[in-house]
């Protein structure tokens, strides 16, 4: 077990199991996404946990697509999920699909029927709901509950052969209609759904329910620790019931499907979800945002998906850092988006090369330099990391500075440029402002300055950044902010859509960046000095047409609002 791995109740549990020689000392986990959308930051917690536990204990982790609900599943999602897991820095031992086990599920269902533990029910969905009872009243037995095994087997075979229409019959577990746990009131095992499946095509007109398929998949794969989120706590008795009834290892035919007969039964353990404020994480809502074109797609940098965070410039390291910091507990809580941004800043501060960019350019002429003058200045790419090398900054007589770095009537404490004032231009030297040019409306259109010789320069308090007007490149820069304007878009009246932040994306078309930023390959991250961290957009940035996304500002400005 790696020394820096944070300890938590699941790691402790696995540690005890390994020490006790349970499951032959093996650790096998899985990450089981349903391919009905892109992965989001919440999934990252489950990925880090499942892959992390396997790695720490010398075990393996499988990627299993939980594809038992074909109506919402797509091959495009299957592909995107794999790409995102790799990007996050994990590699699965093997790739599986719940649908690989459709035949096993089917044979298991036949065994349940033969053992009198499952029956074909003709009630429709509404009747099933009616018969199920409520939290305070017991359910009633379906009139079809006492069908003989022979009749059930015959009907179930015909369900599988496609003889009945969608919803006409279900196969149900025969458990306890009076159980205080509603999940145990004869839950459905199979439903009829004549719809094509992204992995099995039209081979099956019936599909197993999640609870039934999940525990059998775990058992077949020899999963030792089946880790899931808290909403499945009430489903655990059903998970155990199926495995108890099926007792796969003792079954002559079914045991052949087990990957690792050494493993005793998988055990489910629940932990709390990762929730973030100022966003929504349910896939239904994320699909809706995409389909209604309220965002520009799954990887719109404002989305909480991993592909969006990647495009936004967040590093996999920072997302893993967040997952380590929030830990693994059963406590339900909401993490401040600022905590994630803090992880991103911490990571990028160490690694991102420094560059200069001007978002709102104000032209400045250095009047005591000749027309055609150029200077090359060798500067380091990172103040603390000499191994990140140096680059050449070139400038001539004309540069741009940030419009906000000049004030005609400076507020108290303003340390940057003012008329007749001095300021240090980063890497160039100290300049004196000799003239302010304006248009008819009084708007400042340019400044004239003179550069001091180093030996004559006065002391100054402020240093500002700049980009050479002759050597820099014009760039598009997008400033992203929270997608929603309230911390919990799901609470209160109306729809979460009413709370979209209208100012979540500001596009600047005429920013200026130094060539060593413009020429970077897509996905390169920089600190634009004094402004923030930026990434060359992985889809739109090209040589000659630079496009940058703001990853995060240098400081947390949101907390103050
Ligand atoms: P939704 O209900 O929005 O469709 P889901 O939780 O069903 O999402 P799955 O694809 O089934 O999504 O999730 C795959 C795995 O990731 C599951 O084990 C699930 O518990 C876990 N997971 C999903 N969301 C979170 C979250 N916010 N925090 C931690 N784990 C999560
Ligand atoms: Mg799910």
């Amino acid at each position: 077990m790696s020394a820096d791995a944070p300890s938590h109740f699941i790691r402790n549990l696995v540690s005890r199991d390994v020490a006790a020689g349970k499951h032959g000392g093996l650790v096998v986990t899985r990450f089981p996404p349903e391919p009905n959308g892109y992965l989001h930051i919440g999934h990252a917690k489950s990925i880090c946990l499942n892959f992390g536990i396997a790695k720490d204990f010398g075990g393996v982790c499988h990627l299993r697509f939980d594809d038992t609900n074909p109506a919402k599943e797509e091959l495009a999602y299957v592909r995107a999920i794999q790409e995102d897991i790799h990007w996050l820095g994990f590699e699965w031992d093997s790739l599986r699909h719940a649908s690989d086990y459709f035949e096993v599920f089917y044979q298991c269902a036949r065994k349940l029927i033969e053992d009198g533990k499952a029956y074909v029910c003709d009630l429709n969905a509404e009747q099933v709901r009616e018969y199920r009872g409520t939290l305070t009243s017991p359910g009633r037995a379906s009139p079809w509950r006492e069908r003989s095994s022979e009749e059930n087997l015959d009907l179930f075979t015909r369900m599988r052969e496609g003889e009945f229409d969608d919803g006409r019959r279900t196969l149900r577990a025969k458990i306890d209609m009076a159980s205080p746990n509603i999940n145990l009131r004869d839950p459905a095992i199979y439903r009829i759904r004549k719809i094509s499946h992204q992995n099995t095509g039209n081979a099956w007109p019936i599909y197993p329910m999640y609870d039934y398929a999940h525990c059998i998949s775990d058992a077949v794969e020899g999963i030792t620790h089946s880790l899931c989120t808290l909403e499945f706590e009430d489903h655990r008795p059903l998970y155990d019931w199926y495995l108890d009834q099926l007792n796969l290892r003792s079954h002559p035919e079914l045991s052949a499907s087990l990957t690792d007969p050494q493993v005793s039964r998988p055990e489910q353990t629940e932990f709390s979800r990762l929730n973030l404020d100022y966003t929504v994480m349910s896939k239904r809502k994320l699909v809706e945002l995409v389909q209604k074109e309220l965002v520009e797609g799954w990887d719109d940098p404002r989305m909480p998906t991993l592909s969006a965070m990647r495009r936004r410039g967040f590093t996999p390291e920072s997302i893993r850092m967040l997952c380590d910091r929030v830990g693994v507990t059963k406590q339900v809580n909401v993490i401040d988006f600022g905590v994630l941004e803090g992880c991103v800043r911490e990571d990028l501060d160490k690694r991102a090369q420094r560059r200069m960019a001007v978002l709102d350019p104000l032209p400045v002429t250095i009047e005591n330099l000749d027309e055609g003058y150029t200077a090359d200045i060798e500067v380091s790419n990172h103040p603390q990391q000499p191994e990140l090398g140096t680059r050449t900054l070139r400038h001539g007589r004309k540069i741009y500075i940030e419009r906000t770095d000049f004030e005609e009537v400076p507020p108290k404490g303003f340390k940057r440029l003012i008329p007749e004032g001095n300021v240090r231009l980063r890497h160039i030297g100290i300049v004196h402002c000799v003239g302010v040019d304006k248009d008819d409306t009084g708007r400042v259109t340019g400044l004239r300055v003179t550069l001091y010789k180093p030996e004559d320069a006065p002391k100054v308090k402020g240093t500002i950044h700049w980009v050479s007007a002759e050597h820099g490149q014009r760039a598009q820069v997008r400033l992203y902010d929270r997608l929603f304007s309230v911390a919990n878009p799901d609470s209160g009246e109306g729809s979460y859509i009413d709370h979209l932040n209208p100012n979540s994306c500001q596009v600047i078309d005429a920013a200026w960046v130094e060539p060593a930023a413009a020429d970077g390959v897509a996905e390169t991250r920089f600190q634009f000095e004094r402004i923030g961290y930026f990434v060359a957009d992985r889809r739109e940035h090209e040589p000659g047409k630079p496009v940058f996304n703001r990853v995060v500002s240098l400081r947390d400005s949101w907390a103050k609002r």
Side-chain angles (χ1 to χ4, degrees):
M1 178 167 154
S2 77
D4 54 351
S7 193
H8 52 67
F9 81 101
I10 292 183
R11 182 169 275 109
N12 296 342
L13 168 88
V14 175
S15 189
R16 282 197 303 275
D17 286 351
V18 169
K22 200 165 171 179
H23 312 293
L26 294 177
V27 174
V28 185
T29 58
R30 85 287 170 267
F31 173 62
E34 185 178 355
N36 60 351
Y38 279 57
L39 296 181
H40 52 60
I41 180 84
H43 290 114
K45 176 171 177 176
S46 176
I47 294 171
C48 290
L49 177 64
N50 279 296
F51 285 91
I53 288 279
K55 180 161 170 273
D56 289 344
F57 291 94
V60 296
C61 180
H62 303 302
L63 169 60
R64 182 202 310 147
F65 286 105
D66 219 321
D67 54 351
T68 54
N69 189 9
K72 293 180 179 164
E73 296 163 2
E74 287 174 25
L75 200 54
Y77 296 141
V78 170
R79 299 214 172 99
I81 288 170
Q82 295 179 55
E83 189 179 344
D84 288 344
I85 296 172
H86 277 144
W87 175 75
L88 200 55
F90 297 100
E91 185 60 68
W92 46 90
D93 190 69
S94 62
L95 176 82
R96 316 280 178 90
H97 299 79
S99 57
D100 298 338
Y101 315 129
F102 276 178
E103 187 60 33
V104 180
F105 301 150
Y106 180 70
Q107 295 305 331
C108 285
R110 296 186 69 91
K111 171 170 154 63
L112 290 177
I113 294 171
E114 282 163 12
D115 293 348
K117 302 289 184 185
Y119 61 97
V120 173
C121 179
D122 297 0
L123 295 182
N124 63 32
E126 194 185 319
Q127 291 166 323
V128 166
R129 250 193 311 279
E130 216 175 281
Y131 275 75
R132 189 183 293 134
T134 66
L135 280 175
T136 50
S137 62
R140 283 179 294 139
S142 159
W144 313 102
R145 200 172 197 259
E146 301 307 329
R147 272 178 164 151
S148 68
S149 290
E150 292 71 36
E151 189 183 0
N152 282 321
L153 269 184
D154 171 60
L155 285 170
F156 185 53
T157 306
R158 287 158 62 193
M159 278 170 68
R160 195 262 171 272
E161 284 165 358
E163 190 177 323
F164 311 119
D165 291 339
D166 277 18
R168 177 71 189 77
R169 294 196 157 90
T170 52
L171 181 71
R172 296 176 69 179
K174 194 170 182 178
I175 310 181
D176 179 4
M177 288 308 293
S179 171
N181 184 341
I182 294 186
N183 295 307
L184 298 180
R185 293 184 189 171
D186 292 9
I189 300 177
Y190 268 97
R191 61 205 187 289
I192 302 173
R193 202 81 174 80
K194 292 185 176 163
I195 181 172
S196 176
H197 183 284
Q198 52 83 20
N199 191 33
T200 58
N202 294 317
W204 292 85
I206 55 172
Y207 290 99
M209 301 303 289
Y210 174 88
D211 284 323
Y212 173 74
H214 201 88
C215 58
I216 299 175
S217 305
D218 282 348
V220 168
E221 291 176 6
I223 302 300
T224 56
H225 298 83
S226 179
L227 311 176
C228 64
T229 37
L230 278 181
E231 70 274 19
F232 292 104
E233 201 162 27
D234 290 347
H235 298 236
R236 189 179 348 128
L238 185 53
Y239 183 104
D240 290 334
W241 188 88
Y242 284 129
L243 293 183
D244 286 344
Q245 305 309 313
L246 288 167
N247 194 9
L248 292 173
R249 231 157 329 106
S250 67
H251 192 283
E253 282 153 45
L254 294 177
S255 63
S257 62
L258 299 179
T259 318
D260 198 333
Q262 270 202 81
V263 172
S264 43
R265 249 189 38 185
E267 279 172 37
Q268 174 178 311
T269 305
E270 308 84 15
F271 61 95
S272 62
R273 283 183 171 255
L274 173 70
N275 300 305
L276 269 191
D277 62 5
Y278 292 95
T279 191
V280 293
M281 226 118 70
S282 128
K283 274 188 271 183
R284 183 182 66 73
K285 290 174 186 159
L286 298 178
V287 169
E288 190 175 19
L289 289 171
V290 172
Q291 284 177 351
K292 291 193 169 159
E293 299 184 10
L294 297 166
V295 292
E296 277 162 30
W298 283 99
D299 68 349
D300 183 309
R302 296 164 295 179
M303 292 277 275
T305 57
L306 294 179
S307 59
M309 291 187 172
R310 173 178 182 178
R311 194 160 169 216
R312 171 85 173 252
F314 288 13
T315 56
E317 289 81 359
S318 60
I319 293 173
R320 299 201 304 259
M321 194 191 299
L322 176 82
C323 292
D324 274 354
R325 286 194 182 161
V326 302
V328 179
T329 67
K330 282 184 182 282
Q331 223 88 50
V332 178
N333 56 10
V334 180
I335 306 298
D336 183 350
F337 201 90
V339 176
L340 172 58
E341 291 181 327
C343 293
V344 175
R345 275 188 202 102
E346 193 174 320
D347 187 40
L348 289 183
D349 180 43
K350 286 187 300 226
R351 311 197 291 142
Q353 294 196 12
R354 275 40 172 176
R355 294 289 184 270
M356 290 200 287
V358 170
L359 299 190
D360 187 5
L362 177 62
V364 174
T365 306
I366 307 174
E367 291 200 311
N368 57 339
L369 297 182
D370 297 333
E371 293 284 350
Y373 167 95
T374 55
D376 283 338
I377 312 161
E378 202 61 16
V379 302
S380 74
N381 286 325
H382 194 290
Q384 286 94 38
Q385 317 262 23
E387 64 279 14
L388 292 179
T390 62
R391 68 187 186 285
T392 307
L393 267 179
R394 175 169 289 188
H395 76 90
R397 199 167 184 256
K398 290 185 183 297
I399 60 168
Y400 292 114
I401 65 164
E402 208 71 66
R403 185 169 281 279
T404 49
D405 281 335
F406 172 77
E407 287 288 351
E408 260 198 300
V409 187
K412 199 162 170 280
F414 189 78
K415 297 195 181 78
R416 293 162 280 161
L417 200 55
I418 59 173
E420 298 303 326
N422 301 318
V423 79
R424 180 184 298 278
L425 290 176
R426 176 106 165 117
H427 302 301
I428 295 183
I430 293 168
V431 291
H432 180 73
C433 180
V434 295
V436 180
D437 301 322
K438 296 185 185 174
D439 65 12
D440 298 344
T441 66
R443 180 179 156 86
V444 176
T445 53
L447 302 178
R448 283 168 280 123
V449 302
T450 52
L451 177 63
Y452 287 99
K453 289 202 179 93
E455 57 273 25
D456 301 335
K459 281 209 172 358
V460 294
K461 291 226 174 79
T463 300
I464 64 175
H465 61 273
W466 53 273
V467 172
S468 168
E470 291 139 297
H471 309 99
Q473 280 194 42
R474 192 174 148 150
Q476 187 185 82
V477 171
R478 297 104 164 230
L479 305 180
Y480 293 105
D481 201 345
R482 309 277 198 270
L483 182 55
F484 292 92
S485 48
V486 297
N488 183 357
D490 283 320
S491 76
E493 281 174 26
S495 158
Y496 69 100
I497 288 177
D498 302 336
H499 302 296
L500 280 167
N501 175 3
N503 304 314
S504 56
C505 176
Q506 185 194 343
V507 180
I508 298 171
D509 277 312
W512 282 80
V513 298
E514 62 169 281
D519 298 342
V521 295
E523 285 204 84
T524 309
R525 302 175 186 88
F526 297 112
Q527 183 194 94
F528 288 167
E529 293 189 48
R530 300 180 62 229
I531 308 178
Y533 295 97
F534 289 77
V535 66
D537 188 77
R538 68 185 286 240
R539 290 225 260 157
E540 291 166 39
H541 175 90
E542 290 168 23
K545 189 187 147 259
V547 179
F548 287 95
N549 302 325
R550 183 169 67 193
V551 186
V552 65
S553 56
L554 284 184
R555 273 169 286 278
D556 185 359
S557 57
W558 189 267
K560 284 190 236 111
R561 276 182 235 177

